[in-house]
Amino acid sequence: MNKDAQGRAEIAVIGGSGFYSFFADDAEEIVLDTPYGVPSAPITVGEVEGRQVAFLPRHGRNHEYSPHTLPYRANMWALRMLGVSRVFAPCAVGSLVPEYGPGTVVVPDQLVDRTSGRTQTYFDEGGIHVEFADPYCGELRRAAVQDTAIDGGVMVVVEGPRFSTRAESQWFARQGWTLVNMTGHPEAVLARELELCYAPIALVTDLDAGIESGQGVRAVDVFAEFQKNIEPLKALVRSAVRDAPTGDCPTCRVHTGITLPIELP
């Protein structure tokens, strides 16, 4: 790690599928290593709406990582190394309700984990448990609800990299869940363990397999829909950065009074 890295940025944006860049060519590039390996890509740091922002493409600059192979722990640790305290996490999602068609932006307030086999904690020793009833920072969510973005929803995170079967999709919808995604977990809980405020910004790219008959979800269509909406999504993220709160967020400071088995960056 570059010892000068700490304090470089206060807010981070983690770009999802198709969201591989955020700044002009004059942004600073920072290469970091962590106890959990290297992040998905070098992190770029620049100014957005008067705030210092770190940008990390979740899947790598050329989409090298599938959801189940992402270095989640390295990604979140590296952001905290830079001094980040708040994270916006744009992502592509499938809709489980027909009224949320492609192009809809949703800021979910709940998460359901249906992944398997992913390392989802930094605390491999010691009896450390974090509060996660409300998985996303309320203050950051309010900043992300811009323009026509929908406030609230349940995002179920599946293992991937395959898409859901029709039966799975129909089951998810019957539970009252509204969105399906492959990367929101363990990203959100790792952010909580690092005491980072975290809020997803979900762009609907498709109606999931169980919502309509005919052809199921195809990756090529997901990427095309995301690209069609990438500039409006970036504009929304910039507005969210502008409106993000400053100062301490007691809600996401979950380790107060607890001795941790590791030192956080």
Side-chain angles (χ1 to χ4, degrees):
M1 171 187 172
N2 180 346
K3 291 184 179 179
D4 296 329
Q6 183 70 34
R8 292 287 186 89
E10 57 173 319
I11 296 172
V13 174
I14 303 177
S17 300
F19 195 155
Y20 306 125
S21 63
F22 194 47
F23 302 115
D25 294 337
D26 58 351
E28 179 185 11
E29 182 177 286
I30 301 175
V31 177
L32 295 174
D33 196 3
T34 81
Y36 308 97
V38 297
S40 298
I43 298 171
T44 50
V45 175
E47 185 174 307
V48 177
E49 299 288 345
R51 316 285 292 271
Q52 286 299 112
V53 175
F55 175 76
L56 174 64
R58 182 182 287 112
H59 295 276
R61 286 178 170 170
N62 299 298
H63 209 99
E64 302 98 300
Y65 293 96
S66 289
H68 67 299
T69 64
L70 276 165
Y72 291 101
R73 291 200 293 181
N75 286 351
M76 305 311 291
W77 193 273
L79 293 177
R80 175 151 169 157
M81 287 170 68
L82 289 172
V84 165
S85 60
R86 291 176 168 85
V87 179
F88 288 110
C91 58
V93 298
S95 172
L96 294 168
V97 290
E99 56 266 33
Y100 293 174
T104 304
V105 175
V106 184
V107 182
D109 60 348
Q110 277 296 322
L111 176 152
V112 174
D113 173 28
R114 293 289 300 170
T115 66
S116 60
R118 299 183 185 184
T119 302
Q120 55 179 296
T121 183
Y122 292 106
F123 303 124
D124 295 324
E125 58 185 44
I128 304 301
H129 308 276
V130 297
E131 182 277 323
F132 206 55
D134 296 300
Y136 309 126
C137 174
E139 290 187 354
L140 214 56
R141 286 190 63 260
R142 284 189 287 275
V145 179
Q146 299 279 336
D147 301 325
T148 58
I150 293 170
D151 184 0
V154 180
M155 184 166 72
V156 54
V157 184
V158 298
E159 179 67 9
R162 69 170 177 84
F163 295 112
S164 303
T165 67
R166 293 193 193 282
E168 289 168 335
S169 179
Q170 291 164 358
W171 178 60
F172 297 159
R174 285 197 299 271
Q175 308 314 303
W177 305 337
T178 47
L179 307 169
V180 59
N181 166 265
M182 295 182 188
T183 58
H185 185 85
E187 200 170 87
V189 71
L190 293 174
R192 183 61 55 85
E193 287 193 344
L194 292 176
E195 297 190 319
L196 301 176
C197 298
Y198 177 96
I201 302 174
L203 173 64
V204 174
T205 57
D206 59 274
L207 295 176
D208 212 55
I211 304 302
E212 58 181 359
S213 60
Q215 193 169 21
V217 181
R218 301 190 309 161
V220 64
D221 298 328
V222 168
F223 293 137
E225 186 64 31
F226 202 96
Q227 279 304 119
K228 187 170 75 173
N229 292 281
I230 188 64
E231 291 308 319
L233 179 62
K234 286 182 178 181
L236 187 153
V237 173
R238 291 188 185 99
S239 296
V241 167
R242 177 197 65 208
D243 294 343
T246 58
D248 191 49
C249 174
T251 302
C252 299
R253 304 298 176 257
V254 294
H255 301 313
T256 301
I258 296 173
T259 300
L260 299 180
I262 60 173
E263 182 179 352
L264 302 184

mmCIF file of all heavy atoms in Angstrom, residues 240-258:
data_model
loop_
_atom_site.group_PDB
_atom_site.id
_atom_site.type_symbol
_atom_site.label_atom_id
_atom_site.label_comp_id
_atom_site.label_asym_id
_atom_site.label_seq_id
_atom_site.Cartn_x
_atom_site.Cartn_y
_atom_site.Cartn_z
ATOM 1 N N ALA A 240 -26.309 11.895 -6.623
ATOM 2 C CA ALA A 240 -26.269 11.237 -5.314
ATOM 3 C C ALA A 240 -24.998 11.602 -4.557
ATOM 4 O O ALA A 240 -25.030 11.849 -3.341
ATOM 5 C CB ALA A 240 -26.373 9.726 -5.492
ATOM 6 N N VAL A 241 -23.879 11.655 -5.261
ATOM 7 C CA VAL A 241 -22.619 12.075 -4.640
ATOM 8 C C VAL A 241 -22.752 13.496 -4.107
ATOM 9 O O VAL A 241 -22.339 13.796 -2.981
ATOM 10 C CB VAL A 241 -21.466 11.969 -5.653
ATOM 11 C CG1 VAL A 241 -20.222 12.702 -5.145
ATOM 12 C CG2 VAL A 241 -21.143 10.510 -5.950
ATOM 13 N N ARG A 242 -23.343 14.369 -4.892
ATOM 14 C CA ARG A 242 -23.545 15.764 -4.468
ATOM 15 C C ARG A 242 -24.351 15.837 -3.184
ATOM 16 O O ARG A 242 -24.052 16.631 -2.284
ATOM 17 C CB ARG A 242 -24.264 16.522 -5.578
ATOM 18 C CG ARG A 242 -24.603 17.981 -5.261
ATOM 19 C CD ARG A 242 -25.660 18.491 -6.222
ATOM 20 N NE ARG A 242 -26.917 17.772 -6.043
ATOM 21 C CZ ARG A 242 -27.815 17.584 -7.024
ATOM 22 N NH1 ARG A 242 -27.609 18.057 -8.234
ATOM 23 N NH2 ARG A 242 -28.936 16.923 -6.773
ATOM 24 N N ASP A 243 -25.385 14.992 -3.064
ATOM 25 C CA ASP A 243 -26.305 15.073 -1.931
ATOM 26 C C ASP A 243 -25.917 14.163 -0.771
ATOM 27 O O ASP A 243 -26.620 14.142 0.252
ATOM 28 C CB ASP A 243 -27.715 14.711 -2.394
ATOM 29 C CG ASP A 243 -28.279 15.734 -3.380
ATOM 30 O OD1 ASP A 243 -27.738 16.846 -3.458
ATOM 31 O OD2 ASP A 243 -29.261 15.397 -4.077
ATOM 32 N N ALA A 244 -24.838 13.403 -0.924
ATOM 33 C CA ALA A 244 -24.425 12.502 0.157
ATOM 34 C C ALA A 244 -24.070 13.299 1.404
ATOM 35 O O ALA A 244 -23.441 14.351 1.321
ATOM 36 C CB ALA A 244 -23.235 11.663 -0.284
ATOM 37 N N PRO A 245 -24.477 12.827 2.570
ATOM 38 C CA PRO A 245 -24.187 13.561 3.808
ATOM 39 C C PRO A 245 -22.694 13.569 4.121
ATOM 40 O O PRO A 245 -21.932 12.746 3.610
ATOM 41 C CB PRO A 245 -24.970 12.788 4.870
ATOM 42 C CG PRO A 245 -25.088 11.415 4.310
ATOM 43 C CD PRO A 245 -25.199 11.575 2.824
ATOM 44 N N THR A 246 -22.306 14.501 4.952
ATOM 45 C CA THR A 246 -20.937 14.558 5.439
ATOM 46 C C THR A 246 -20.931 14.231 6.935
ATOM 47 O O THR A 246 -21.987 14.135 7.564
ATOM 48 C CB THR A 246 -20.337 15.963 5.225
ATOM 49 O OG1 THR A 246 -21.156 16.929 5.903
ATOM 50 C CG2 THR A 246 -20.286 16.306 3.740
ATOM 51 N N GLY A 247 -19.746 14.075 7.490
ATOM 52 C CA GLY A 247 -19.658 13.797 8.914
ATOM 53 C C GLY A 247 -19.890 12.333 9.240
ATOM 54 O O GLY A 247 -20.018 11.488 8.366
ATOM 55 N N ASP A 248 -19.969 12.055 10.532
ATOM 56 C CA ASP A 248 -20.075 10.683 11.002
ATOM 57 C C ASP A 248 -21.503 10.159 10.865
ATOM 58 O O ASP A 248 -22.470 10.912 10.959
ATOM 59 C CB ASP A 248 -19.635 10.609 12.472
ATOM 60 C CG ASP A 248 -19.455 9.186 12.942
ATOM 61 O OD1 ASP A 248 -18.782 8.415 12.242
ATOM 62 O OD2 ASP A 248 -19.995 8.837 14.006
ATOM 63 N N CYS A 249 -21.622 8.844 10.615
ATOM 64 C CA CYS A 249 -22.931 8.188 10.541
ATOM 65 C C CYS A 249 -22.990 7.141 11.651
ATOM 66 O O CYS A 249 -22.455 6.037 11.490
ATOM 67 C CB CYS A 249 -23.141 7.539 9.178
ATOM 68 S SG CYS A 249 -24.660 6.551 9.065
ATOM 69 N N PRO A 250 -23.615 7.437 12.782
ATOM 70 C CA PRO A 250 -23.625 6.486 13.903
ATOM 71 C C PRO A 250 -24.320 5.174 13.575
ATOM 72 O O PRO A 250 -24.000 4.134 14.166
ATOM 73 C CB PRO A 250 -24.360 7.257 15.001
ATOM 74 C CG PRO A 250 -25.147 8.317 14.295
ATOM 75 C CD PRO A 250 -24.344 8.685 13.088
ATOM 76 N N THR A 251 -25.254 5.179 12.637
ATOM 77 C CA THR A 251 -25.984 3.955 12.301
ATOM 78 C C THR A 251 -25.053 2.870 11.778
ATOM 79 O O THR A 251 -25.235 1.683 12.070
ATOM 80 C CB THR A 251 -27.068 4.255 11.247
ATOM 81 O OG1 THR A 251 -27.950 5.240 11.758
ATOM 82 C CG2 THR A 251 -27.846 3.003 10.892
ATOM 83 N N CYS A 252 -24.052 3.269 11.000
ATOM 84 C CA CYS A 252 -23.166 2.288 10.371
ATOM 85 C C CYS A 252 -21.882 2.054 11.151
ATOM 86 O O CYS A 252 -21.015 1.309 10.704
ATOM 87 C CB CYS A 252 -22.841 2.732 8.945
ATOM 88 S SG CYS A 252 -24.313 2.866 7.884
ATOM 89 N N ARG A 253 -21.747 2.674 12.321
ATOM 90 C CA ARG A 253 -20.582 2.446 13.172
ATOM 91 C C ARG A 253 -20.931 1.337 14.162
ATOM 92 O O ARG A 253 -21.309 1.590 15.303
ATOM 93 C CB ARG A 253 -20.182 3.741 13.898
ATOM 94 C CG ARG A 253 -19.924 4.910 12.970
ATOM 95 C CD ARG A 253 -18.764 4.659 12.004
ATOM 96 N NE ARG A 253 -18.599 5.769 11.072
ATOM 97 C CZ ARG A 253 -19.003 5.749 9.810
ATOM 98 N NH1 ARG A 253 -19.582 4.660 9.322
ATOM 99 N NH2 ARG A 253 -18.810 6.792 9.030
ATOM 100 N N VAL A 254 -20.789 0.103 13.711
ATOM 101 C CA VAL A 254 -21.344 -1.038 14.440
ATOM 102 C C VAL A 254 -20.376 -1.654 15.444
ATOM 103 O O VAL A 254 -20.748 -2.581 16.177
ATOM 104 C CB VAL A 254 -21.821 -2.121 13.449
ATOM 105 C CG1 VAL A 254 -22.995 -1.613 12.634
ATOM 106 C CG2 VAL A 254 -20.676 -2.558 12.528
ATOM 107 N N HIS A 255 -19.131 -1.191 15.496
ATOM 108 C CA HIS A 255 -18.149 -1.812 16.382
ATOM 109 C C HIS A 255 -17.842 -0.974 17.621
ATOM 110 O O HIS A 255 -16.876 -1.273 18.334
ATOM 111 C CB HIS A 255 -16.844 -2.062 15.622
ATOM 112 C CG HIS A 255 -16.991 -2.954 14.431
ATOM 113 N ND1 HIS A 255 -17.675 -4.149 14.469
ATOM 114 C CD2 HIS A 255 -16.534 -2.821 13.154
ATOM 115 C CE1 HIS A 255 -17.637 -4.722 13.274
ATOM 116 N NE2 HIS A 255 -16.963 -3.941 12.459
ATOM 117 N N THR A 256 -18.635 0.049 17.875
ATOM 118 C CA THR A 256 -18.385 0.894 19.043
ATOM 119 C C THR A 256 -18.392 0.054 20.324
ATOM 120 O O THR A 256 -19.335 -0.696 20.590
ATOM 121 C CB THR A 256 -19.460 1.998 19.134
ATOM 122 O OG1 THR A 256 -19.434 2.775 17.940
ATOM 123 C CG2 THR A 256 -19.181 2.902 20.325
ATOM 124 N N GLY A 257 -17.322 0.150 21.086
ATOM 125 C CA GLY A 257 -17.210 -0.575 22.346
ATOM 126 C C GLY A 257 -16.775 -2.019 22.207
ATOM 127 O O GLY A 257 -16.741 -2.747 23.203
ATOM 128 N N ILE A 258 -16.432 -2.453 20.985
ATOM 129 C CA ILE A 258 -16.048 -3.841 20.736
ATOM 130 C C ILE A 258 -14.569 -3.900 20.360
ATOM 131 O O ILE A 258 -14.086 -3.084 19.559
ATOM 132 C CB ILE A 258 -16.904 -4.450 19.614
ATOM 133 C CG1 ILE A 258 -18.374 -4.506 20.031
ATOM 134 C CG2 ILE A 258 -16.411 -5.853 19.256
ATOM 135 C CD1 ILE A 258 -19.310 -4.929 18.925
#
